[in-house]
Amino acid sequence: FTSTRDIKMTRKPLSPVTPSYMLFLFLISASDPCDAGRHERRLINDLFLHYNKFERPVINESDPVLLYFGVSLQQIVDLDEKNQIMTSNIWLTLDWVDEALTWNTSEYGGIMDIRIPPIKMWKPDLLLYNSANENFDATFPTNIIVNHDGVISQIPPGIFKSTCKIDITWFPFDDQSCDMKFGTWTHHGLKINLSQREDAAVDISGFQDNGEWQLVSADSSRNIIQYECCPEQYIDITVTITLRRRTLYYFSNLIGPCVLIASMAVLGFNFPPDSGEKVTLEITVLMSLTFFMNMVSDMQPPSSETPLIGTYFSCIMIMVASSVVCTIMILNYHHRLANTHSMPPWISIIFLQWLPWMLRMSRPGKPLTKKGILLQTKMAELEKGDKCSNSLLANVLDMDEDFIAGSLLGDNTLGLQAAALGFGIGTQPRSNAWLDVDHTRWSFPSKSPNSLASNGYFAGSDRSPGVSPLPQSPEFGPLSPEEPASLPGSLERELQGIRLEISVIA
């Protein structure tokens, strides 16, 4: 550390004052520091000395204020299809005449125009009718340019959010038309005459392209509307902006992958059934299409209208779902065996007869004709009827044999034992029925071979070895309606009904 006495205080000598420096100081001090803006300050004080910003800038109160309106479109920031809101960057151009703000330029140092904040003077209450902004008025309060002849100009920029009806029918190959309605909020046409500028078209010289939307056109129109609430007519200017969607993004991210995934469903039929991946592939394709369809639905507003791509995805999903069903049926038929399943008759008739005949197909050496197909169908029906008749005859014979065996076992007067009749369990004979040609009726053979021989027809009865034949007895002759056996009345009537049904079937 050093003490204060060790520190040497040094002082630089002052530079001598030159004559030129003294002359510069004299000129500055002699001139008025406010002389440069005194004309503009005096002009502003004179203009706003008796100015009232709440009154319309006209000399005659019955005359309307002529307001010219123009639009300069700078950029389409966004178009929200789901919320149906268009966000745009627009510069408005407002021109009107204020007869209270005029001056002679020669009296005020040649000043041609001045800039005044909008809160200091009258301005029209121009608003966007279909605004979706939280503050409703999205324009920036820029200064107003006042010219010496009373012409007022203001160019307020703003980021406008306007409602826009979205038509999603042709999404993503769609064109959207959005309207922006500008007008005075409280002044009708007799107070403010809102008109378009000389160039009625929207200025797009400084427009910046949007990555998703392409500007097709931008026009404006003047409308005069009379509302139900008021008898006066209100004037508005509607700006119509037409946009076209750029489809490259959607084609490469939605349509292209969807087409490729849908084609995988066709490849699933080429998989061998034993691979075990046919159903897995089809279900994976179906889930992928569902994912893409959800992506499309998130981009669209909730509406009853169905877009084009939504219809496409629905058709593809139906096709893939049908392929899943077909794949399951193919696997079901593939794993069927001949010893477990048989071909249904209708499949044989359709796919082996009629369909090959319509396609002009035939087997080698066995041509298919319509007459042959009808003949085969008739023969199949006859075979089916014979099978039903044989089954019914067998059931009737079993009932007849069981009843006769039970009657013989219970009858002591005959002196015959059940074992002698050959109706033991496991050795019961099976007899065939024959049609009595002379009497045109069905007859049932008796259990005795002797009675069969007496009738002249061999029934083809088979007996087990070691069983003696039945003795010939009138009670065991062929059963017929003319010679009924000694049976109970109810059972006899039942057997006669069964015989009648058999005769009808035969």
Side-chain angles (χ1 to χ4, degrees):
F1 295 93
T2 58
S3 60
T4 56
R5 63 175 175 269
D6 295 335
I7 301 175
K8 295 180 180 181
M9 300 299 292
T10 60
R11 183 178 182 182
K12 294 182 181 180
L14 295 174
S15 59
V17 178
T18 60
S20 60
Y21 183 71
M22 293 298 294
L23 179 62
F24 176 74
L25 293 178
F26 175 76
L27 294 174
I28 294 177
S29 61
S31 61
D32 188 1
C34 298
D35 185 67
R38 60 187 177 91
H39 295 296
E40 187 173 354
R41 183 176 62 253
R42 183 167 56 89
L43 174 60
I44 293 174
N45 292 333
D46 293 343
L47 289 176
F48 292 94
L49 181 60
H50 302 287
Y51 186 82
N52 188 359
K53 65 178 181 179
F54 298 107
E55 64 177 358
R56 291 187 303 117
V58 292
I59 297 177
N60 189 359
E61 287 80 4
S62 61
D63 295 335
V65 177
L66 186 59
L67 176 61
Y68 291 96
F69 176 81
V71 174
S72 177
L73 181 60
Q74 300 296 318
Q75 185 184 9
I76 300 298
V77 180
D78 184 31
L79 182 58
D80 189 356
E81 298 97 331
K82 191 174 185 63
N83 297 320
Q84 303 192 44
I85 295 176
M86 183 184 68
T87 306
S88 57
N89 182 7
I90 293 178
W91 296 358
L92 303 180
T93 303
L94 305 177
D95 296 328
W96 70 93
V97 177
D98 195 335
E99 298 179 358
L101 298 177
T102 59
W103 69 89
N104 190 355
T105 58
S106 61
E107 296 178 359
Y108 295 95
I111 297 176
M112 302 296 295
D113 51 37
I114 57 177
R115 273 72 177 167
I116 304 298
I119 59 174
K120 297 293 183 180
M121 57 181 297
W122 181 91
K123 59 171 294 188
D125 54 347
L126 192 73
L127 292 174
L128 176 63
Y129 282 9
N130 57 334
S131 175
N133 199 298
E134 296 179 356
N135 300 326
F136 204 82
D137 186 11
T139 57
F140 182 78
T142 59
N143 290 334
I144 299 176
I145 302 175
V146 181
N147 294 284
H148 69 282
D149 55 355
V151 176
I152 312 299
S153 299
Q154 186 185 18
I155 307 177
I159 304 298
F160 294 91
K161 290 184 177 180
S162 58
T163 58
C164 180
K165 181 175 177 57
I166 304 296
D167 184 10
I168 60 173
T169 305
W170 301 100
F171 176 86
F173 307 97
D174 55 339
D175 293 348
Q176 301 298 336
S177 181
C178 299
D179 295 335
M180 302 179 68
K181 184 178 179 181
F182 293 92
T184 58
W185 194 256
T186 58
H187 295 86
H188 50 77
L190 299 178
K191 297 294 183 181
I192 295 180
N193 185 9
L194 183 61
S195 303
Q196 293 178 308
R197 294 170 63 93
E198 295 179 358
D199 47 348
V202 179
D203 183 16
I204 56 173
S205 58
F207 180 76
Q208 297 180 4
D209 292 336
N210 184 275
E212 183 179 359
W213 296 94
Q214 178 184 358
L215 180 63
V216 178
S217 64
D219 301 320
S220 61
S221 60
R222 183 174 181 267
N223 305 312
I224 300 177
I225 302 175
Q226 185 172 0
Y227 296 97
E228 298 180 357
C229 64
C230 311
E232 298 83 4
Q233 294 179 349
Y234 286 82
I235 304 174
D236 67 82
I237 294 179
T238 303
V239 179
T240 303
I241 300 175
T242 304
L243 303 174
R244 178 171 297 165
R245 192 190 303 271
R246 302 180 189 271
T247 59
L248 181 60
Y249 169 80
Y250 296 95
F251 186 83
S252 59
N253 291 278
L254 283 179
I255 301 177
C258 175
V259 173
L260 293 178
I261 292 175
S263 62
M264 300 297 292
V266 181
L267 297 177
F269 291 99
N270 294 328
F271 265 96
D274 296 330
S275 62
E277 300 295 334
K278 293 175 68 69
V279 179
T280 304
L281 177 63
E282 301 293 343
I283 294 177
T284 304
V285 171
L286 185 61
M287 294 180 63
S288 302
L289 292 175
T290 306
F291 171 75
F292 280 105
M293 191 169 184
N294 290 333
M295 289 182 58
V296 174
S297 62
D298 292 339
M299 300 177 184
Q300 301 166 1
S303 175
S304 59
E305 299 178 356
T306 303
L308 180 64
I309 192 171
T311 306
Y312 171 74
F313 276 112
S314 300
C315 295
I316 293 296
M317 290 183 65
I318 293 174
M319 184 190 72
V320 175
S322 302
S323 65
V324 172
V325 175
C326 293
T327 302
I328 295 175
M329 294 177 61
I330 290 172
L331 293 177
N332 185 15
Y333 288 125
H334 174 74
H335 292 287
R336 288 188 178 187
L337 300 177
N339 54 358
T340 58
H341 295 81
S342 60
M343 181 182 298
W346 64 272
I347 293 181
S348 176
I349 294 173
I350 294 176
F351 291 97
L352 298 183
Q353 296 182 13
W354 287 109
L355 188 59
W357 175 75
M358 288 187 293
L359 297 177
R360 302 300 180 181
M361 299 172 60
S362 62
R363 296 179 182 179
K366 296 181 179 180
L368 290 175
T369 59
K370 183 177 180 181
K371 184 176 180 181
I373 294 174
L374 294 175
L375 182 59
Q376 292 181 7
T377 305
K378 189 66 177 178
M379 293 298 295
E381 294 177 356
L382 293 176
E383 291 179 359
K384 184 178 180 180
D386 293 342
K387 291 181 180 179
C388 295
S389 301
N390 293 335
S391 176
L392 183 58
L393 284 173
N395 294 333
V396 172
L397 291 176
D398 292 341
M399 293 173 58
D400 192 8
E401 293 171 356
D402 294 340
F403 180 79
I404 295 175
S407 300
L408 292 177
L409 288 174
D411 192 2
N412 295 325
T413 60
L414 294 176
L416 298 175
Q417 300 296 327
L421 296 175
F423 288 103
I425 298 175
T427 61
Q428 185 176 353
R430 298 293 181 182
S431 302
N432 296 331
W434 67 87
L435 181 64
D436 193 347
V437 181
D438 297 334
H439 299 86
T440 64
R441 58 184 175 84
W442 285 94
S443 300
F444 298 92
S446 64
K447 309 307 174 188
S448 173
N450 296 329
S451 108
L452 293 176
S454 64
N455 290 327
Y457 295 94
F458 180 70
S461 301
D462 297 333
R463 290 187 178 275
S464 301
V467 180
S468 60
L470 290 172
Q472 187 172 357
S473 176
E475 285 81 8
F476 298 99
L479 295 177
S480 62
E482 291 79 1
E483 299 177 0
S486 59
L487 300 176
S490 61
L491 184 59
E492 181 180 356
R493 288 192 298 270
E494 182 177 357
L495 289 178
Q496 290 179 356
I498 292 174
R499 292 191 187 100
L500 180 60
E501 291 178 0
I502 293 174
S503 62
V504 171
I505 294 175

